[in-house]
Amino acid sequence: MSAHVNAPSRAPQDLSESITGGVGESPSRPDGNLKVRGDYAYSSDLWAEDMLWGATLRSPHPYARIAGIDVGQALAYPGVYAVLTHEDVPGDNRYGLKIVDQPVLAEDVVRFRGEAVALVAADHPETARRAVELIAVDYEVLDPVTDPKRAAHDGTLPKLHPESGRENNLVRYQPVVRGRQDVSADVVVSGTYTLGMQDQAFLGPESGLAIPAEDGGVELYLSTQDLHSDRKQTARALGLPPDKVRLTMSGVGGAFGGREDLSIQAHVCMLAMHTGKPVKMMYDREESFYGHVHRHPAEMYFEHGATREGKLVYLKARMYFDGGAYASKTPVVVGNATTLGTGPYEVPNVDIAGWGVYTNNPPCGAMRGLGAVQPAFAYEAQMDKLASALDMDPVELRQRNAVDQGSVLHTGQKLDYPAPVGELIERARNLPMPPERDPAAEPDIRDLPGGAANTTHGEDVARGVGYAAIIKNVSYAEGADDYSTARVSLQAVGGEAVAMVHTAAAEVGQGLVTVQQQIARTELGVERVNIHPNDTSVGDSGSSSASRQTYITGGAVKTACEAVRETLFERATARLGHAVPDLTIVDGKLVSDSHGVLADVVDILGDEVIECTREYHHRPTYPLDPETGQSELVHVQHAFSVHRAVVDVDTQLGLVKVVALDCVQDVGKSVNPDAIVGQIQGGAVQGMGLAVMEEIQVSDGLIRNPSFTDYLIPTILDTPPMKVDIIERGDPHAPYGVRGVGEPPTISAGPAVLAAIRAATGLDLTHAPAGPEHITGTAH
Amino acid sequence: MDFLRAASLDDALATKAQRPDIAPIAGGTDLMVAINFDHIRPSGLLDLTSVPELADWSESGGVIRIGAGVPYARIISELGEHLPGLAMASRTVASPQIRNRGTVGGNLATASPSGDAHPALLACAAEVELASVRGTRRLPVAEFFTGVKRSAAEPDELITAVHLARATGPQQFAKVGTRNAMVISVCAFSVALHPDRAEVGTGLGSAAPTPRRAVEAEEFLAGELTSRGMWTDPRPLPETVVTRFGELVAAAAAPIDDVRGTASYRRHALGVLARRTVGWTWDEYSTGRQTCA
Ligand SMILES: Cc1cc2nc3c(=O)[nH]c(=O)nc-3n(C[C@H](O)[C@H](O)[C@H](O)COP(=O)(O)OP(=O)(O)OC[C@H]3O[C@@H](n4cnc5c(N)ncnc54)[C@H](O)[C@@H]3O)c2cc1C
């Protein structure tokens, strides 16, 4: 309760400013102008009187035994208030999203370069960093496990998590089999595809401020994707009951999955509780590369058989996902990849297997498109390869095999909602093409591969076009009870009815604040809707991930609004002395078709506040059979998008300019059309980045490019105009018919760009990203 | 860490003489990154942005002196005609924000093999002006670079300027990076035709421990142009000459495999850049028409 009384300055962002517009309109974001002007306060701007600064000592080795830690010198350094090791973890020294396998601070062994070993609190960030260097750790360096395939199968390698009880270094093995396994086909194509490790590349580094509370608990201000998940894990580490650990969201500078796991949470709270002072932690960019999980790199063998007419007969797929040192979301990656591995296509006979493993590489976990991005690169490359083997138009081939409502996927799940993949593909093909390059005209070099760096004036530039259609699950799956909580109140303030919406659902830039206001405005018929800062004083909303919040938290807000409205109607009935059948609220007035305007909402409310808290649970899903991968309903919903990419490639230098990257997507119901276009365009750029430049290079367990100097993400000069064609085929099971939006474009953009590069160059290009070396054959 | 602001060159040189370990700061676009990443911990910063002797460029007798503190943005807007190669190189540096602050002086002092000004300075046979309380000297830029991020500047010296002859013929600069803007070079190449002295200049970036010239390629091309009488009677460059020039440029490189690219890609790409840029300069020389960029 006291969380906001002594709130630090520049803490939870005031995004409560009321916007106008209901469901289907495009009110602009309350944080938009602030961010453009540089006035938005991020969690890295948090500040409290008298606060200390925390810093983390991290392992320089991917795999080593710790023989001893000497903190004496660090502790003696002037300005240092605390130096903590695993011995100081007050609760259980373990955390994890799915599997609780990661130490808060390393004990006798470190399993990746960057693992947290010790913490320092000091009166200045520089002092804290210097003190970190004075901690002496005695490491016995071990041979790291770095090959994911060997980690899965080779019993002679060290077991990194013997406590797991699973074979070798397995985190999860999942087969999905359906139909006949001994089937042959007229035409068979196969390939092995690999994907590098992608970073979320959010701009706001991990940061937060912990303030010890008088009741022995702690207040934590931070940026995260899931307050309650953080609270549960942090409370466990601190040995506190969850209600003593109170979290409040501060300004989030991007997330994309990278804020699902703990980073500073338990550490900064430990330091605050130990010193009795507010403590702030903030990673710098390099530390951030070690301080959050990345997208799983993958190696995938895919083999498709088809009839001469281009109907898919079978798919055999083998996929390996390197989860790195700790499990994080590896089990979900394996689940998603194996259940979505056919792509949005009907395949009668399927034999898919996925392995997620532990290694001593950097831990991998959630990132936009979780587990669906990797197989999409493989199955879409295969569709083009198959089309070429059949001498068939690749668009035509995709249409012939596209799923539709009523299709049964290889898990046995029947799609009982629209699945208009054929229509999406058709519309993508029909979008206008960008103009051809005129070789006679003097080019603007910024439009050519290489851009302003002046590498070509048109020499050796070839154009290619590529398509990709993809499938993604929305929300939590495999039997998880996926729900969100909303508290909605309505009261009269200054003669006007004002609603307040309170959820813990993280606004990470996706526009959820706006969506919640739009829903409340639509459901309650009032103009003023305020949003309470996200915190843990209301029930769980789950994570801002899996494209789920508009669906799930939107559903909770809608349900809570309906409850508020019912209560209001009951009061109106009591006031009026008779029941009116068809009451609605319009512009703050109670209206019925039969009786016209009956009363002002403010008059019905009087001095009272109507407040209702409701949970929304989506319909139940079911786990996969561990042997066959069959499930009645493994995913509550699927989303689909199609991208068409047009690229110019300098075939001699291997440089790429994406000329157009157009998308068609089914969003079920467009709650905020402008925000959807923003999600699709932003997501597409992230997918394009993976296709052409984004890769964390890891060798022997070490990251070679932990900086934005060498981990490249697209700039505006790499970003083409992007047409977006949105269709709305409502899902009858979802609130308003919505369908998750945020992830699909990230998944379809990359394979489309790679397909276009293949079309321009005639090369196979089996690795994403396809860099200049791959295109010019000079990788070694 | 102290922060000192020099009001004049004498002032700055005196400070540098007393405290050779102090880090001069111009645009700060290299230095602050290094400090942020904790790669260096200088005892103090010596701010040069108020030193008038470093802040401007001037011309006398066909030679242009660019003060070490002149930012890229000014080189692009004010010197594009006189020094097209350096202006093109400047245009490829970073982003508008960085180009407003970053300087050739800072680029030289960092002496990174990937500094984008260096190939253009090499191709133009620029001289680096160094000053200390002991006096001022000028050094050919090719002698300035002594190793990876090492230069011939003495600890008490500041870089005060670069001197380059005004262009007498076409110049080009091209750089390969893995994205289309804001990228450190994977490799870069600059070529300048000097018809006044029947010479060709080249510069290679990210191709060896230091920026370097492709001397054999320069001599080969200048020799061909002279022996064929093409300086005075320009005709299309024979394909064989272009090809050989590309080979010699690639052969002059001694690149490494690193996180930005492989040695074999760099060698290959330098050959491509050499062939293309020499074609563009020759087109311009023979037709009088400048190609884009
Ligand atoms: C985002 C970003 C992108 C970049 N992109 C590029 C790029 O594309 N190409 C490229 O070449 N560089 C790039 N850089 C690097 C940098 O911008 C350039 O090297 C620039 O020329 C440095 O100049 P400065 O004035 O900012 O130097 P500073 O950072 O001020 O100084 C750099 C070094 O030079 C020393 N120094 C400065 N002036 C003098 C002097 N007069 N005498 C002696 N020593 C001196 C400093 O002590 C320091 O060691 C980039 C940097 C950033 C941050």
Side-chain angles (χ1 to χ4, degrees):
Chain A
M1 182 54 239
S2 64
H4 304 291
V5 178
N6 63 347
S9 69
R10 311 204 74 192
Q13 199 69 26
D14 183 16
L15 298 181
S16 60
E17 183 189 324
S18 200
I19 47 154
T20 57
V23 168
E25 296 179 62
S26 288
S28 55
R29 313 163 51 112
D31 51 341
N33 288 346
L34 290 171
K35 283 179 174 165
V36 171
R37 285 200 310 262
D39 285 342
Y40 185 81
Y42 293 92
S43 58
S44 48
D45 298 316
L46 285 160
W47 187 85
E49 200 67 49
D50 236 7
M51 71 181 185
L52 302 176
W53 292 79
T56 312
L57 173 70
R58 296 180 180 276
S59 165
H61 307 294
Y63 191 30
R65 211 175 300 290
I66 296 179
I69 305 177
D70 180 358
V71 302
Q73 256 195 302
L75 208 47
Y77 196 71
V80 170
Y81 281 70
V83 183
L84 306 182
T85 67
H86 67 91
E87 288 175 357
D88 305 298
V89 177
D92 188 0
N93 187 22
R94 283 292 179 281
Y95 71 95
L97 283 176
K98 292 271 155 190
I99 299 174
V100 181
D101 62 356
Q102 185 158 1
V104 177
L105 290 171
E107 293 159 8
D108 51 343
V109 65
V110 285
R111 296 183 181 83
F112 73 99
R113 155 66 182 108
E115 178 154 5
V117 176
L119 305 169
V120 170
D123 55 11
H124 190 278
E126 198 63 14
T127 310
R129 274 196 289 268
R130 298 293 165 264
V132 157
E133 290 169 9
L134 295 175
I135 301 171
V137 184
D138 186 3
Y139 292 106
E140 281 168 31
V141 177
L142 303 169
D143 261 354
V145 175
T146 57
D147 178 342
K149 240 171 154 167
R150 282 190 62 201
H153 301 300
D154 186 344
T156 67
L157 293 178
K159 272 187 100 159
L160 301 178
H161 291 272
E163 79 285 356
S164 79
R166 280 175 299 273
E167 223 184 305
N168 303 328
N169 281 298
L170 266 184
V171 178
R172 181 176 183 186
Y173 165 68
Q174 180 67 54
V176 182
V177 287
R178 189 168 181 85
R180 288 172 47 203
Q181 299 303 309
D182 56 348
V183 53
S184 59
D186 299 340
V187 181
V188 173
V189 292
S190 66
T192 298
Y193 305 91
T194 56
L195 196 93
M197 186 185 287
Q198 188 180 20
D199 188 58
Q200 295 83 355
F202 47 67
L203 295 188
E206 292 83 349
S207 44
L209 173 69
I211 304 175
E214 278 170 14
D215 66 353
V218 61
E219 317 283 347
L220 175 59
Y221 297 82
L222 80 170
S223 47
T224 177
Q225 288 177 244
D226 188 341
L227 289 165
H228 284 81
S229 162
D230 284 5
R231 167 156 90 167
K232 184 172 150 201
Q233 296 176 78
T234 304
R236 176 189 173 122
L238 297 176
L240 288 175
D243 64 336
K244 288 272 173 73
V245 182
R246 293 167 290 262
L247 276 63
T248 303
M249 188 74 88
S250 297
V252 181
F256 313 110
R259 295 190 209 276
E260 284 223 305
D261 290 77
L262 294 191
S263 56
I264 53 109
Q265 288 85 334
H267 295 162
V268 74
C269 290
M270 278 171 62
L271 290 171
M273 293 179 63
H274 191 91
T275 58
K277 283 171 161 289
V279 179
K280 173 173 174 172
M281 282 186 103
M282 178 174 124
Y283 295 170
D284 68 16
R285 183 59 59 194
E286 182 170 353
E287 184 171 20
S288 176
F289 271 93
Y290 297 110
H292 66 256
V293 298
H294 313 288
R295 188 191 298 292
H296 287 68
E299 180 181 325
M300 303 166 288
Y301 171 78
F302 270 60
E303 179 183 315
H304 281 89
T307 66
R308 246 176 273 291
E309 294 70 43
K311 281 297 272 183
L312 292 172
V313 174
Y314 78 88
L315 164 64
K316 178 177 174 178
R318 298 287 177 266
M319 296 182 266
Y320 290 87
F321 300 96
D322 186 351
Y326 295 100
S328 182
K329 282 273 178 111
T330 300
V332 186
V333 167
V334 173
N336 286 0
T338 51
T339 58
L340 305 169
T342 54
Y345 307 112
E346 284 189 339
V347 195
N349 306 295
V350 172
D351 168 13
I352 293 181
W355 290 262
V357 297
Y358 288 124
T359 64
N360 294 115
N361 289 323
C364 288
M367 184 173 173
R368 198 176 194 172
L370 183 79
V373 163
Q374 294 90 339
F377 275 95
Y379 61 69
E380 284 303 88
Q382 285 281 102
M383 291 306 274
D384 288 336
K385 208 168 184 176
L386 183 58
S388 150
L390 290 163
D391 201 14
M392 183 182 279
D393 173 18
V395 175
E396 173 71 32
L397 175 69
R398 285 175 170 84
Q399 274 171 328
R400 271 187 206 183
N401 294 285
V403 295
D404 206 340
Q405 182 158 6
S407 293
V408 177
L409 301 183
H410 59 301
T411 54
Q413 176 172 355
K414 184 171 175 183
L415 299 179
D416 59 356
Y417 34 73
V421 176
E423 183 185 356
L424 296 176
I425 296 171
E426 185 63 27
R427 292 176 80 109
R429 183 213 283 275
N430 292 337
L431 288 174
M433 273 287 186
E436 291 289 325
R437 231 167 34 81
D438 176 2
E442 184 82 348
D444 180 333
I445 57 167
R446 286 170 304 180
D447 297 335
L448 292 170
N454 189 37
T455 47
T456 180
H457 295 175
E459 297 91 341
D460 306 309
V461 175
R463 179 158 290 190
V465 178
Y467 288 82
I470 64 88
I471 183 169
K472 175 71 180 50
N473 62 310
V474 174
S475 303
Y476 303 160
E478 300 189 51
D481 178 18
D482 188 356
Y483 73 99
S484 179
T485 317
R487 181 181 299 153
V488 174
S489 66
L490 188 64
Q491 62 182 314
V493 178
E496 194 185 352
V498 178
M500 167 80 92
V501 179
H502 187 183
T503 74
E507 169 62 55
V508 296
Q510 80 277 45
L512 187 64
V513 167
T514 318
V515 162
Q516 292 181 17
Q517 286 178 318
Q518 290 177 261
I519 291 173
R521 195 168 289 114
T522 297
E523 294 302 326
L524 294 176
V526 300
E527 200 45 43
R528 291 257 319 264
V529 179
N530 294 333
I531 298 292
H532 190 282
N534 295 147
D535 61 24
T536 47
S537 71
V538 63
D540 198 343
S541 280
S543 175
S544 288
S545 65
S547 305
R548 66 184 277 284
Q549 288 293 26
T550 296
Y551 186 146
I552 311 298
T553 293
V557 172
K558 180 170 186 278
T559 310
C561 286
E562 285 162 358
V564 167
R565 200 172 58 202
E566 279 315 304
T567 311
L568 184 76
F569 289 171
E570 279 162 23
R571 291 200 188 160
T573 305
R575 176 80 63 91
L576 297 167
H578 58 91
V580 181
D582 51 358
L583 270 181
T584 54
I585 314 172
V586 179
D587 294 339
K589 295 191 168 41
L590 285 179
V591 182
S592 107
D593 279 350
S594 41
H595 294 70
V597 174
L598 291 163
D600 267 358
V601 171
V602 283
D603 293 334
I604 305 289
L605 285 168
D607 295 336
E608 286 182 51
V609 182
I610 300 178
E611 181 181 284
C612 297
T613 302
R614 290 292 180 276
E615 284 179 2
Y616 176 83
H617 297 246
H618 69 55
R619 59 184 170 144
T621 59
Y622 301 93
L624 297 171
D625 181 282
E627 320 259 277
T628 65
Q630 297 300 295
S631 171
E632 179 182 334
L633 187 99
V634 60
H635 297 303
V636 69
Q637 185 186 67
H638 290 87
F640 309 95
S641 65
V642 174
H643 257 102
R644 185 188 65 197
V646 181
V647 304
D648 281 341
V649 182
D650 181 333
T651 56
Q652 280 299 303
L653 290 176
L655 301 178
V656 174
K657 171 82 180 176
V658 180
V659 175
L661 191 55
D662 300 329
C663 184
V664 190
Q665 186 167 335
D666 174 19
V667 303
K669 163 72 188 170
S670 200
V671 176
N672 184 324
D674 281 359
I676 286 175
V677 170
Q679 283 292 302
I680 292 176
Q681 293 182 331
V685 174
Q686 207 156 25
M688 175 183 80
L690 176 55
V692 295
M693 64 180 83
E694 293 191 35
E695 178 166 7
I696 295 183
Q697 301 179 38
V698 179
S699 65
D700 302 325
L702 304 176
I703 297 179
R704 299 171 70 208
N705 53 342
S707 74
F708 283 161
T709 307
D710 286 315
Y711 182 85
L712 299 180
I713 54 178
T715 69
I716 194 66
L717 283 182
D718 300 280
T719 305
M722 293 177 279
K723 294 191 196 75
V724 174
D725 179 15
I726 293 169
I727 66 169
E728 300 177 84
R729 305 286 175 265
D731 177 350
H733 308 284
Y736 305 110
V738 297
R739 199 183 282 281
V741 169
E743 292 173 291
T746 305
I747 305 167
S748 49
V753 169
L754 215 49
I757 301 173
R758 287 191 197 102
T761 59
L763 298 168
D764 261 351
L765 300 178
T766 55
H767 180 75
E773 287 95 340
H774 300 108
I775 298 173
T776 56
T778 54
H780 298 291
Chain B
M1 188 158 60
D2 306 327
F3 185 81
L4 307 178
R5 170 165 290 171
S8 68
L9 184 57
D10 285 345
D11 191 11
L13 294 178
T15 307
K16 190 75 173 118
Q18 278 161 18
R19 297 181 57 175
D21 65 327
I22 202 166
I25 178 163
T29 61
D30 267 331
L31 191 68
M32 292 313 297
V33 175
I35 291 175
N36 246 333
F37 271 111
D38 211 5
H39 292 162
I40 56 163
R41 289 177 199 166
S43 70
L45 298 183
L46 173 60
D47 180 11
L48 302 178
T49 53
S50 311
V51 175
E53 291 89 338
L54 309 182
D56 259 311
W57 65 270
S58 57
E59 184 183 358
S60 96
V63 174
I64 294 166
R65 177 189 184 276
I66 306 175
V70 176
Y72 294 110
R74 284 188 60 196
I75 294 175
I76 296 164
S77 61
E78 298 167 24
L79 289 169
E81 249 182 48
H82 296 338
L83 303 171
L86 185 62
M88 277 185 204
S90 302
R91 220 169 281 142
T92 76
V93 173
S95 60
Q97 297 92 323
I98 301 289
R99 292 195 291 270
N100 283 336
R101 291 203 61 88
T103 64
V104 173
N107 209 227
L108 278 169
T110 298
S112 162
S114 67
D116 285 327
H118 309 152
L121 295 175
L122 285 165
C124 295
E127 289 184 345
V128 181
E129 181 187 298
L130 296 158
S132 70
V133 288
R134 297 175 287 116
T136 300
R137 61 179 177 137
R138 277 163 67 163
L139 204 63
V141 67
E143 290 167 31
F144 177 77
F145 305 110
T146 55
V148 178
K149 298 203 171 181
R150 280 190 297 125
S151 77
E154 298 291 338
D156 65 343
E157 280 182 320
L158 290 177
I159 298 168
T160 41
V162 289
H163 298 255
L164 304 84
R166 195 158 104 180
T168 56
Q171 303 180 348
Q172 282 287 342
F173 174 90
K175 134 176 157 185
V176 170
T178 313
R179 68 179 166 198
N180 291 312
M182 262 290 284
V183 69
I184 301 210
S185 84
V186 172
C187 60
F189 181 71
S190 186
V191 61
L193 300 184
H194 306 298
D196 53 323
R197 46 184 206 269
E199 281 176 12
V200 173
T202 60
L204 281 63
S206 299
T210 65
R212 60 162 68 166
R213 294 163 57 195
V215 178
E216 277 187 58
E218 293 174 1
E219 287 169 356
F220 163 75
L221 182 58
E224 289 289 325
L225 295 175
T226 302
S227 66
R228 292 167 193 260
M230 282 169 63
W231 288 112
T232 45
D233 178 17
R235 281 156 284 131
L237 265 186
E239 201 48 48
T240 51
V241 172
V242 174
T243 304
R244 183 74 191 133
F245 181 74
E247 286 167 2
L248 289 171
V249 167
I256 53 165
D257 285 335
D258 68 12
V259 71
R260 294 177 194 144
T262 61
S264 85
Y265 175 76
R266 289 187 159 106
R267 212 174 279 113
H268 163 79
L270 282 165
V272 176
L273 293 181
R275 291 198 300 272
R276 287 183 187 168
T277 52
V278 83
W280 302 334
T281 48
W282 190 253
D283 274 356
E284 184 183 339
Y285 186 69
S286 50
T287 64
R289 193 176 63 88
Q290 205 186 340
T291 57
C292 50

